[in-house]
Amino acid sequence: MSKKLFLSALLSVILLGGCNSILDVEQESSIIGNGYWNTPDDVKAYLTGIYFALRDGSGTGTGGVMNTTFWLEDRGDSFDIGLESGVTNAWQQNLNEANAPSWLDLYSVIQQCNMLLKYAPTINYPDESERNRAMAETLVIRAYVYFTLVRTFGDVPLELEPTESDSKPALGRSPATEVMTQLLADINQAIDWFPEDNVVDKSTVSKPAAYALKADALLWKAKVLEGGSADLEATLMALDKATAMVSPLANYAAIFATDNKQNAEILWSMYFERNEKSDHYGSRLKPRNIFVESAANASEIPYAVNGARSVYAPSAKLLAAFDAYPNDVRKAASVITAVSTAGNVIGVFDNKFRGTAYDDDRHFDNDIIVYRWGGLILMKAEALAALNRVQEAVEALNLVRERAGIGSYTGATDKTTVEKAILDESFKESYFELKRWPDLMRFHAGGTINVYDEVPNLSGQTLPLYFPIPRTQIDLNPALKQTPGYN
């Protein structure tokens, strides 16, 4: 990286981190909007800042978009309370407009995407394909953030232009169907713009990764937003494009090894490096050394002196799902139990994102996996089952089961039972990979399960399944309306 590009990237990261609101734009406009956009390196540096913001956010308390379990895991059934305090209101299913989470980290990323999409076309590029790739990556990132918003809040403001002055009118919430139409259009445009069909770098967006996101969004549209069979058929076509670029690893645990981050199974991931960023969200299910150093199996446990805090533990429900198949190789790769010398259980911890043990301490520097072979194949099985192509769905399901060492599916082959088997398999295959809450929402909307029966903390509740927005945001912007069910 050139010195200019490094300094430009640093500037963009500072600006991305310092913007607490999509309305807090005066400083940004004076530096970024006026005089910044001159060369392709400026765009490249700004895009680097967007990737950082997508991963980490700007410190508003939820952990940004990707480096957190808050949005896409906590409301599910993967976690029980760990050894230390700190569980979220989302996990407790204790949400209201007074403690509602802020979506400002997500809209901050959208603001930066909108800036790049506005100014990149004004720059002279010797190679037009480089501009197209940068804009394609940005469109996919914006689409991913909007997809996260739709899955957590439902209807959300649809902002497609950068906010560069305080005179811009405030937006209300657009219907989720309208947002979905826009993000799918963005993905399709990105697919057209990518200059290559293959994956250049798995730490950045590629055309195959865009197809994976397209499939994910279409599956949500078909099942949650009352789309139709055409959406499911399009899901399968997009998955064919995405899965052509990945293949399964025989050793399940090797998928998550920090010395093989861009392995054949991974399609798109968020990059971590020890000296750049080393607090992967997985640290919240790891023990501090003081709890487990005396364990009989201490040498096998991914503990740390600093940076680890076992706020959550893998849930009893998850452990029971693994235990239903004693030969399932994913259990040992996913969870580990610390046992005292007397044979007593000290605690149960995540074993999937182990980080790296260095001389000074263990650092949690695993990449955040967005899409990989196992999850994509189960997505295919789900779409096939929804189309009532049950036998084909079972064939896809068996690809994942056989790699896990549990053999082919032998249960009933009616549509609902097979769908439940697919959901159960995803629980184990994609544990702790930011998939569980969207999975539960889709199968709930499709009638396979009742999510209020699946998630212990939702039992007996009538709490809405979408998040509320803070009352303070509504007071500042009366065009916003509260999520139904929280008034």
Side-chain angles (χ1 to χ4, degrees):
M1 179 181 286
S2 69
K3 182 177 180 181
K4 178 182 178 183
L5 180 57
F6 175 80
L7 292 174
S8 298
L10 179 62
L11 172 63
S12 67
V13 171
I14 292 170
L15 288 171
L16 285 165
C19 184
N20 293 322
S21 166
I22 56 174
L23 300 178
D24 182 14
V25 296
E26 182 177 354
Q27 180 190 33
E28 178 184 342
S29 295
S30 64
I31 299 176
I32 295 296
N34 299 321
Y36 174 83
W37 303 94
N38 298 302
T39 70
D41 271 356
D42 294 336
V43 175
K44 187 175 182 179
Y46 201 75
L47 181 55
T48 298
I50 290 173
Y51 275 107
F52 288 165
L54 175 68
R55 187 187 63 188
D56 300 319
S58 57
T60 61
T62 57
V65 182
M66 295 298 301
N67 193 22
T68 177
T69 61
F70 187 85
W71 304 115
L72 303 176
E73 284 279 3
D74 280 15
R75 295 197 71 183
D77 52 4
S78 297
F79 307 146
D80 286 342
I81 293 177
L83 298 180
E84 302 186 66
S85 62
V87 298
T88 65
N89 290 321
W91 180 85
Q92 296 176 81
Q93 308 294 345
N94 175 31
L95 293 165
N96 54 63
E97 60 181 20
N99 67 14
S102 170
W103 57 26
L104 293 181
D105 265 351
L106 288 81
Y107 275 102
S108 178
V109 179
I110 289 170
Q111 163 73 2
Q112 309 315 314
C113 291
N114 289 342
M115 291 284 285
L116 189 149
L117 292 169
K118 176 179 178 179
Y119 287 105
T122 68
I123 293 174
N124 180 43
Y125 269 80
D127 183 352
E128 187 65 25
S129 68
E130 293 301 314
R131 185 207 319 271
N132 289 344
R133 183 187 295 107
M135 294 184 67
E137 290 180 41
T138 304
L139 277 177
V140 173
I141 290 171
R142 187 174 74 174
Y144 185 88
V145 177
Y146 270 122
F147 188 38
T148 302
L149 284 162
V150 164
R151 289 181 291 176
T152 53
F153 290 97
D155 300 344
V156 294
L158 182 57
E159 180 59 86
L160 301 176
E161 299 293 334
T163 302
E164 298 182 89
S165 75
D166 57 10
S167 63
K168 188 174 182 180
L171 296 176
R173 299 172 78 165
S174 296
T177 51
E178 181 180 329
V179 180
M180 182 63 68
T181 297
Q182 179 63 49
L183 72 86
L184 284 168
D186 285 348
I187 295 169
N188 286 331
Q189 177 62 75
I191 288 170
D192 289 341
W193 272 341
F194 274 110
E196 60 277 309
D197 294 330
N198 62 320
V199 180
V200 176
D201 180 356
K202 296 186 179 188
S203 297
T204 61
V205 181
S206 62
K207 183 183 286 190
Y211 276 116
L213 176 58
K214 180 178 180 178
D216 206 357
L218 284 167
L219 193 56
W220 183 273
K221 180 173 180 280
K223 300 184 75 172
V224 181
L225 301 181
E226 300 181 355
S229 59
D231 292 321
L232 295 170
E233 295 286 358
T235 298
L236 294 173
M237 288 189 287
L239 284 170
D240 284 344
K241 298 284 189 179
T243 55
M245 295 295 159
V246 289
S247 58
L249 297 191
N251 180 356
Y252 179 81
I255 300 168
F256 313 100
T258 55
D259 60 356
N260 188 25
K261 290 186 173 187
Q262 299 213 356
N263 61 70
E265 177 137 348
I266 293 173
L267 182 60
W268 178 25
S269 59
M270 298 278 102
Y271 184 72
F272 272 77
E273 185 176 335
R274 175 193 175 190
N275 293 323
E276 177 267 320
K277 183 73 176 179
S278 60
D279 58 348
H280 182 286
Y281 66 80
S283 63
R284 288 174 62 79
L285 269 76
K286 304 298 190 302
R288 287 190 287 157
N289 61 312
I290 58 174
F291 293 107
V292 297
E293 279 182 325
S294 63
N297 59 336
S299 63
E300 302 170 14
I301 298 170
Y303 66 82
V305 177
N306 302 292
R309 189 176 183 193
S310 51
V311 172
Y312 295 115
S315 68
K317 181 178 178 182
L318 175 71
L319 299 179
F322 278 127
D323 289 342
Y325 295 91
N327 294 327
D328 196 328
V329 300
R330 295 170 300 190
K331 181 179 180 180
S334 300
V335 298
I336 188 167
T337 301
V339 181
S340 72
T341 54
N344 299 316
V345 172
I346 297 172
V348 183
F349 310 102
D350 167 61
N351 203 33
K352 181 175 277 188
F353 301 115
R354 293 176 56 88
T356 305
Y358 296 94
D359 291 340
D360 64 329
D361 199 359
R362 182 177 296 273
H363 294 265
F364 297 101
D365 53 359
N366 293 86
D367 287 359
I368 297 173
I369 298 172
V370 187
Y371 291 112
R372 66 174 178 86
W373 177 85
L376 294 173
I377 294 300
L378 289 172
M379 202 184 298
K380 179 178 181 179
E382 182 180 346
L384 287 166
L387 286 166
N388 209 23
R389 293 161 59 179
V390 177
Q391 186 55 46
E392 292 173 85
V394 170
E395 291 171 4
L397 172 62
N398 283 341
L399 294 175
V400 175
R401 288 176 59 97
E402 288 162 7
R403 196 266 297 274
I406 62 175
S408 298
Y409 174 74
T410 58
T413 55
D414 60 282
K415 177 175 178 290
T416 299
T417 303
V418 169
E419 287 183 321
K420 184 65 166 64
I422 294 167
L423 176 61
D424 291 345
E425 207 57 47
S426 183
F427 193 25
K428 295 173 288 183
E429 175 72 20
S430 300
Y431 153 71
F432 209 19
E433 295 180 45
L434 311 181
K435 306 295 182 188
R436 184 58 175 173
W437 182 245
D439 282 358
L440 291 169
M441 287 281 280
R442 288 196 313 274
F443 282 93
H444 173 80
T448 306
I449 61 165
N450 182 339
V451 72
Y452 292 92
D453 296 332
E454 290 289 327
V455 178
N457 287 349
L458 278 174
S459 179
Q461 287 211 42
T462 58
L463 188 72
L465 299 181
Y466 290 111
F467 285 83
I469 60 175
R471 167 52 58 181
T472 53
Q473 290 185 1
I474 297 173
D475 292 341
L476 290 170
N477 177 11
L480 293 172
K481 304 300 179 186
Q482 186 56 272
T483 306
Y486 292 100
N487 293 327

